[in-house]
Amino acid sequence: MSTSEYDSLRPPEPEGGRRRGRRRSGRRGGRNDGSREMPMVPEAEFSSYYGRPVIKPPPWEAEVGAYLFLGGVAGGSGLLAAGAQLTGREALRRNTRLTGFVAVLLSLAALVKDLGRPERFLNMLRTFKPTSPMNLGSWILSAYSAGLSVAAASEIDRMTGSRLPLGPLRPVLRGVEGPAGLEAAVLAAPLAVYTAVLLADTAIPTWNAAHEDLPFVFVSSASLAASGLAMVTTPVAEAGPARVLAVLGVLGDLVATRVMERRMDPVAAEPLHHGRPGHMLRYSERLVIAGGLGTLLGGRNRGVAVVSGLALATASALTRFGVFEAGKESARHPRYTIEPQKRRLAARRSAGITGDSITTAG
């Protein structure tokens, strides 16, 4: 047997030889003296450089999730308020205007907290860039807030018996109240959906993979939140439009979520089903079904309407926070970025697309 001065530096073989389960053969088969050649390092498995994320996870905290939810509440409430205004439902109009007003104020506070300084929000209004979801969303939020604030101020003045110190401005406020409410209604749907476009426009794997269907999920979620809160705050005699919107929101949410998950890359969709985001979205689906059935079967009963409305509003919040957390989770693990990219590259090559920078790189 040949020996070397380096034999003493080799690590001992594991029990059973170099390959466990294989028959040992040869003169040295049963010896664990380190004289046989064996790998000095374990076989490498590619993930990313030093196991670090391929893309930088977004630094957003819970206030951004709250901003997503409150924007949906504000948008849906503005749409319901306009319908109540046109059909003469005073209680529903008042409650939805005030709900939307409070929601938009809280959403602005959440956005400013995330930005760190109020002037950063104002700086976004220095330009108008339709190709930027953040810039366009800032303009939508500002214009919607202006219209709904006027309508809500008129409602507050009526509730206090015209005691607000408006003076000669009171007739002006009453005159512009109706057009301001309709202006907010025009911007209600864009306000409810632009945050979905904002998320999908990023490189975060789960959000980007859902870019075709996430806006429909967010519109349905906004309908659930606004109609649910309207059912809680409004007598059943005037809450008919809220019940209709709630049922439509339930159907839209269940269908849009299923379609989104089926059309997404299966790996990119995994964070929607596992961990904390998965728990949120599963409970959201259960509350959507329970709230929808309660609205459909017992929505004219005040107690059932309140419970169903709370279930729908909670389901909307869980949907927004679940999608938000799933995207953050997908950015932390390299496989959610790498595997869908490899699958898309293979699909392009199999389709005969081989002459662009994507299929020829590397």
Side-chain angles (χ1 to χ4, degrees):
M1 180 184 70
S2 62
T3 60
S4 168
E5 59 181 309
Y6 299 106
D7 283 347
S8 61
L9 303 178
R10 291 177 179 153
E13 293 185 13
E15 290 295 329
R18 184 180 178 186
R19 295 283 189 270
R20 293 187 180 184
R22 285 181 128 192
R23 262 177 36 187
R24 287 177 273 190
S25 61
R27 290 181 297 172
R28 295 178 289 177
R31 300 179 60 178
N32 290 330
D33 57 1
S35 58
R36 295 179 62 191
E37 293 185 5
M38 61 178 296
M40 300 297 290
V41 295
E43 294 184 5
E45 286 187 20
F46 173 75
S47 58
S48 65
Y49 289 111
Y50 304 104
R52 296 175 64 85
V54 177
I55 60 176
K56 185 177 180 181
W60 297 335
E61 300 297 337
E63 57 266 14
V64 175
Y67 173 69
L68 300 179
F69 168 65
L70 292 167
V73 173
S77 297
L79 196 60
L80 268 177
Q85 173 185 331
L86 295 175
T87 56
R89 290 177 168 85
E90 294 185 5
L92 181 62
R93 183 200 64 207
R94 179 190 66 242
N95 294 340
T96 48
R97 280 179 176 178
L98 295 179
T99 299
F101 177 66
V102 172
V104 80
L105 287 182
L106 292 176
S107 68
L108 281 169
L111 179 60
V112 169
K113 186 177 186 302
D114 175 69
L115 294 174
R117 296 199 303 269
E119 61 268 23
R120 288 178 175 172
F121 176 77
L122 298 177
N123 287 338
M124 287 190 288
L125 302 178
R126 295 172 63 184
T127 60
F128 182 74
K129 190 175 182 181
T131 57
S132 169
M134 176 61 79
N135 180 262
L136 189 59
S138 300
W139 279 101
I140 292 173
L141 179 61
S142 300
Y144 175 89
S145 302
L148 194 65
S149 297
V150 171
S154 184
E155 295 290 353
I156 294 172
D157 187 53
R158 268 193 295 269
M159 290 171 61
T160 57
S162 300
R163 289 192 177 94
L164 292 183
L166 297 176
L169 294 179
R170 183 167 285 108
V172 177
L173 180 63
R174 294 288 191 269
V176 299
E177 170 190 358
L182 295 178
E183 181 265 349
V186 171
L187 297 172
L191 178 66
V193 77
Y194 97 87
T195 48
V197 179
L198 176 65
L199 296 182
D201 197 46
T202 66
I204 305 301
T206 297
W207 295 341
N208 187 266
H211 70 277
E212 293 181 343
D213 303 293
L214 190 59
F216 297 99
V217 174
F218 271 34
V219 164
S220 302
S221 170
S223 302
L224 295 177
S227 59
L229 291 175
M231 289 166 59
V232 171
T233 59
T234 306
V236 294
E238 289 201 12
R243 291 193 295 271
V244 173
L245 183 62
V247 173
L248 293 176
V250 167
L251 296 176
D253 183 82
L254 295 176
V255 172
T257 301
R258 286 286 183 271
V259 171
M260 179 185 74
E261 293 174 355
R262 187 172 68 248
R263 295 176 63 178
M264 290 175 65
D265 183 277
V267 173
E270 283 184 10
L272 296 172
H273 304 285
H274 301 293
R276 188 178 176 213
H279 284 299
M280 289 183 181
L281 293 172
R282 281 192 294 274
Y283 279 108
S284 173
E285 183 179 19
R286 295 167 188 169
L287 289 172
V288 165
I289 295 173
L293 290 175
T295 302
L296 191 61
L297 302 177
R300 293 185 179 276
N301 179 279
R302 181 60 179 155
V304 176
V306 170
V307 173
S308 300
L310 289 174
L312 295 176
T314 305
S316 175
L318 289 174
T319 295
R320 301 263 178 155
F321 274 94
V323 171
F324 175 65
E325 293 293 338
K328 293 176 63 177
E329 184 67 20
S330 70
R332 297 188 184 104
H333 300 283
R335 68 182 295 261
Y336 295 129
T337 302
I338 295 170
E339 292 187 21
Q341 285 181 343
K342 288 183 176 180
R343 205 171 351 264
R344 289 194 296 268
L345 178 61
R348 291 173 69 87
R349 286 175 172 166
S350 64
I353 305 175
T354 58
D356 57 9
S357 60
I358 297 176
T359 53
T360 58

